Amino acid sequence: LCGHHSIKTAFDEDVSSDYNCYKLFGLDVLLDDNLKPWLLEVNNFPTLNHKSLDRHVNEQMIAEMFNVLGFHITKPINHKKKTALMDKTSLVSLIEFDPQMYTRDKNKEQLQREKN
């Protein structure tokens, strides 16, 4: 992958925890007459603007990305809001805020693995 070095360099400079850092890539694929997929390009910064022609597809993709990641609540919420949210979404329970999920500190084991 020709962009690996620049992406890895930017990641190493800007991120101190790979647990809470995600990167969304856009893949352009063409299906031929036999429905065989052909990769046309990989976009490091896919268009996510509101007025984009691709927005119809991108909104579903963004929602699925958050589902795959298990999107977490970023701050504690009070009991009333929590109950209202659970009722509105028909959830039995709600994942609570966990500060460890949002730390930027890498432990010694992570740093050692990255050196190898």
Side-chain angles (χ1 to χ4, degrees), residues 82-97:
K82 179 180 174 181
T83 303
L85 182 60
M86 288 171 54
D87 290 343
K88 185 176 182 178
T89 58
S90 300
L91 293 173
V92 177
S93 65
L94 194 61
I95 297 173
E96 296 289 338
F97 175 77

Side-chain angles (χ1 to χ4, degrees), residues 26-31 37-43:
L27 303 175
D28 290 345
V29 177
L30 174 71
L31 298 175
W38 294 88
L39 179 63
L40 299 177
E41 68 177 347
V42 177
N43 300 304

Side-chain angles (χ1 to χ4, degrees), residues 3-24:
H4 178 263
H5 179 72
S6 61
I7 294 169
K8 175 82 169 97
T9 301
F11 178 85
D12 289 341
E13 290 174 359
D14 296 331
V15 177
S16 40
S17 172
D18 54 7
Y19 182 76
N20 61 359
C21 179
Y22 307 98
K23 176 69 177 155
L24 177 65

Side-chain angles (χ1 to χ4, degrees), residues 32 41 56 64 76-77 81 102:
D32 66 17
E41 68 177 347
H56 178 72
E64 184 61 20
I77 57 175
K81 287 183 181 179
Y102 300 95

